Amino acid sequence: MDGKMYGHYKQLSGRCFDFDGFSLTFDSIQTDARPGGWHSAKGGDVAIDCPGQEILERTSAVISDRMVEARLIAGLPAAGRTILASAAQRMFLETLPQLVERALMYRSVDSQTMHALAASVEDQEYLRSQLKLLSLVAFIGNGAVLPRVSGVSNMPLETNTVVRFRAPPELQVMVELPNQGTVVGMGIRQGVTLICGGGFNGKSTLLQAIERGVYNHAPGDGRELVVTDATATKIKAEEGRFVCSTDIRPFINNLPLGKTTDAFSTADASGSTSMAASIQEAVEVEASTLLFDEDTCATNFLVRDGRMQQLVSQDCEPITPLVSRVRELWEAKGVSSIMVIGGCGDYLDVADTVVSMHGYVPSDATEKAKAIAQCMPVVIEIPQIKYGPALNRTIIVPKELAAHKPPKAKTRWSIALFPSDKLSSLAPPTISDAGAATHERTDEPEVFPELDLTALDQLVSVSQTRAIASMLQLATQNTRRRTMRSLVSDMCTTALGDLPAGHGVAGNLARPRGIEVALAINRLRYAQIQP
């Protein structure tokens, strides 16, 4: 092949070569040397979809009773479009065997480290399974390191001044784990929990650790003993998001001009309507814990204080604030809430537990909060209607979504879409936040080239986003109308290796939670959703 055009590498596709201790199979080879993005201009690089701090089911490595399979991506050596056979020979006969020996052979791996990893994951899974039995929604172990290096790094902060977590005595819980034995930490009980305190004292850091506690973490991360209800979902204001056929009456009702909100749709939601929709969508797919940070919420959705109640009567205000519903969410729906609150004191009246953060150290402020609420009473409006049943909408992801090309993840928070022009006529009628009904039908078709997942804080890897893109493609292959829960269940019970992968075997997918799959579908402007 030396000196031939790059396309001759295609002769290797599907071929298997036996080496000493391993076999090499060429699954798929591109026809052009330029697409790829390798650092070396002449190729020769070997890469794998690397894990992060969270431990996820991935397709980059597959372990069975008889073998370990690593799915690699290689930049085949070339000068421009001309094959460099000698460099390819070194790559496959020298570099690759060394990589296999150092990374995949048990004799080269620290067995104690490997067993410690397995034991840690087993303990985290067991601890999460015990939460409901202990009437908890989260557990934060003593000694945990919650701060990260920075806002763009998931690595633990390692300095002499790091304050390790220590549970207040009143909230201390003891659990016996299969491998580590007895561990002690703070248990966050079911119901309504507030995390309060002054600014820069660790409130949001604690909540961020809790929201990532839906995943297991690698030893050394610092959050190995931070576990959360697996369905816990972060809710935040998301101005401009798409909402379709969502019953938001528990929070927003009686719009001007008699417009109803039992099947609310909008192409440009406000902060309050986006939060109302996000809560309803999360509850629809059986989220049993909701997470809120006051800093990322719409204020008018959180609370309506006494003065505003006097100025604008309840009959004239379409919004029922969360403070009026949060207890009903727990008592009638079994949905707990964990809330970072720094300025909305009305929530002291509805909280079961209040954790105060000072200097990154938690304390139990529940009794103090109750005393303050009794001495300084406020009026929390009683909702005019009961919460109502959970959503049970039906959905079709139209086949035209993947007519030109299948959806493709661009970043962790963005999926590129390539729909047919026909889809523009399928967009549903919408009700704007001003109450006017509109239809997304124009002479010039409106195109939405991306699915924006920026608000999905609990997506932790672009590999999960790739899997969601593949799941959307899979959904287009079955156009029967299904409930949202059924569709998400079908997607999440499909083996990652069975998802559409284009050419060859996908070695760069990671399992997303069903919650994130549902949240992504709800933001898909081409989805056909009905009440």
Side-chain angles (χ1 to χ4, degrees):
M1 289 188 185
D2 191 40
K4 292 185 177 180
M5 295 298 290
Y6 189 92
H8 282 78
Y9 271 133
K10 291 285 287 184
Q11 298 175 30
L12 297 174
S13 292
R15 297 187 63 183
C16 180
F17 298 88
D18 290 328
F19 288 72
D20 182 18
F22 73 96
S23 298
L24 171 65
T25 300
F26 291 89
D27 183 67
S28 177
I29 298 176
Q30 63 194 40
T31 56
D32 197 307
R34 288 180 295 178
W38 301 101
H39 294 296
S40 169
K42 294 184 178 181
D45 300 290
V46 179
I48 193 168
D49 187 32
C50 292
Q53 298 299 99
E54 288 80 18
I55 298 173
L56 307 172
E57 178 192 349
R58 292 178 177 272
T59 59
S60 55
V62 178
I63 301 175
S64 69
D65 292 338
R66 63 184 185 87
M67 68 175 184
V68 175
E69 178 179 316
R71 295 170 176 175
L72 309 175
I73 302 173
L76 300 179
R81 297 184 179 181
T82 302
I83 291 175
L84 297 176
S86 59
Q89 187 175 27
R90 288 193 301 273
M91 177 182 180
F92 293 124
L93 299 183
E94 298 176 18
T95 303
L96 189 60
Q98 292 174 16
L99 290 174
V100 171
E101 176 64 32
R102 292 169 58 185
L104 298 179
M105 296 299 182
Y106 183 79
R107 58 179 172 264
S108 301
V109 177
D110 185 336
S111 60
Q112 289 186 332
T113 300
M114 182 181 293
H115 285 294
L117 171 61
S120 177
V121 171
E122 188 176 50
D123 281 346
Q124 292 176 66
E125 287 288 336
Y126 178 82
L127 183 52
R128 191 173 292 105
S129 74
Q130 297 301 296
L131 291 177
K132 190 172 183 179
L133 296 175
L134 296 169
S135 299
L136 303 176
V137 293
F139 177 92
I140 304 94
N142 285 348
V145 177
L146 306 187
R148 302 293 95 184
V149 169
S150 70
V152 295
S153 173
N154 202 21
M155 299 299 291
L157 182 63
E158 296 178 346
T159 69
N160 295 331
T161 59
V162 168
V163 178
R164 290 180 174 269
F165 189 86
R166 181 66 57 179
E170 301 89 342
L171 301 177
Q172 193 167 280
V173 174
M174 186 180 300
V175 184
E176 189 76 18
L177 301 182
N179 299 295
Q180 191 170 336
T182 302
V183 296
V184 179
M186 183 175 78
I188 296 183
R189 303 185 187 103
Q190 295 172 339
V192 180
T193 298
L194 306 186
I195 302 173
C196 301
F200 307 98
N201 277 267
K203 302 188 302 297
S204 294
T205 299
L206 174 56
L207 186 71
Q208 288 163 6
I210 291 169
E211 70 185 52
R212 292 295 180 92
V214 298
Y215 300 110
N216 298 327
H217 288 90
D221 173 81
R223 298 170 295 184
E224 301 94 310
L225 290 178
V226 181
V227 299
T228 308
D229 164 25
T231 69
T233 304
K234 179 78 172 290
I235 304 293
K236 60 198 297 187
E238 194 178 349
E239 292 189 14
R241 70 153 284 196
F242 172 72
V243 177
C244 186
S245 299
T246 302
D247 185 355
I248 59 173
R249 287 177 297 174
F251 299 101
I252 300 175
N253 199 18
N254 297 326
L255 293 179
L257 305 178
K259 300 300 180 182
T260 62
T261 56
D262 56 338
F264 182 83
S265 297
T266 181
D268 188 21
S270 67
S272 57
T273 51
S274 69
M275 290 188 68
S278 294
I279 290 173
Q280 293 292 83
E281 292 160 357
V283 173
E284 178 180 29
V285 287
E286 301 179 326
S288 55
T289 304
L290 303 178
L291 311 175
F292 303 88
D293 190 329
E294 185 181 66
D295 285 349
T296 58
C297 293
T299 302
N300 65 333
F301 184 79
L302 288 180
V303 68
R304 205 163 85 91
D305 64 28
R307 288 182 172 179
M308 291 310 299
Q309 292 175 28
Q310 293 295 318
L311 182 65
V312 181
S313 69
Q314 190 174 13
D315 291 340
C316 296
E317 174 53 75
I319 300 175
T320 299
L322 181 60
V323 71
S324 297
R325 288 290 192 192
V326 71
R327 286 227 59 82
E328 189 179 6
L329 267 170
W330 164 239
E331 293 169 356
K333 300 295 179 184
V335 178
S336 298
S337 295
I338 303 175
M339 312 183 71
V340 168
I341 295 293
C344 297
D346 287 11
Y347 278 89
L348 299 183
D349 287 62
V350 296
D352 295 300
T353 305
V354 179
V355 177
S356 178
M357 297 295 293
H358 180 69
Y360 308 103
V361 177
S363 62
D364 182 10
T366 305
E367 294 306 316
K368 182 178 180 180
K370 288 181 178 178
I372 292 171
Q374 188 172 9
C375 292
M376 303 175 65
V378 297
V379 176
I380 296 178
E381 293 175 323
I382 299 173
Q384 296 179 326
I385 62 171
K386 293 205 176 287
Y387 199 99
L391 301 179
N392 191 30
R393 299 171 299 164
T394 60
I395 180 171
I396 293 175
V397 179
K399 62 180 183 297
E400 291 86 0
L401 181 69
H404 292 165
K405 291 171 61 178
K408 181 179 181 180
K410 295 174 61 179
T411 68
R412 190 199 310 178
W413 301 283
S414 176
I415 294 175
L417 303 175
F418 309 94
S420 71
D421 295 339
K422 179 181 177 182
L423 268 187
S424 62
S425 64
L426 301 177
T430 65
I431 301 175
S432 71
D433 285 335
T438 61
H439 288 260
E440 308 256 339
R441 303 170 191 270
T442 60
D443 293 334
E444 292 294 328
E446 190 169 4
V447 177
F448 304 102
E450 291 185 7
L451 173 56
D452 183 2
L453 305 179
T454 307
L456 276 58
D457 288 353
Q458 290 164 288
L459 270 182
V460 296
S461 171
V462 66
S463 303
Q464 291 177 301
T465 311
R466 293 190 195 105
I468 292 175
S470 293
M471 289 175 178
L472 292 176
Q473 182 183 356
L474 179 65
T476 66
Q477 297 172 9
N478 183 348
T479 56
R480 66 183 177 88
R481 186 166 289 279
R482 290 172 281 179
T483 65
M484 183 70 76
R485 283 191 291 274
S486 174
L487 175 60
V488 171
S489 176
D490 289 348
M491 288 180 172
C492 292
T493 54
T494 300
L496 285 177
D498 292 339
L499 292 175
H503 299 291
V505 176
N508 59 356
L509 305 181
R511 175 75 66 186
R513 298 190 305 158
I515 295 286
E516 272 69 52
V517 176
L519 297 181
I521 293 171
N522 276 301
R523 287 158 177 76
L524 180 65
R525 293 174 183 261
Y526 299 112
Q528 299 171 24
I529 304 175
Q530 293 181 1

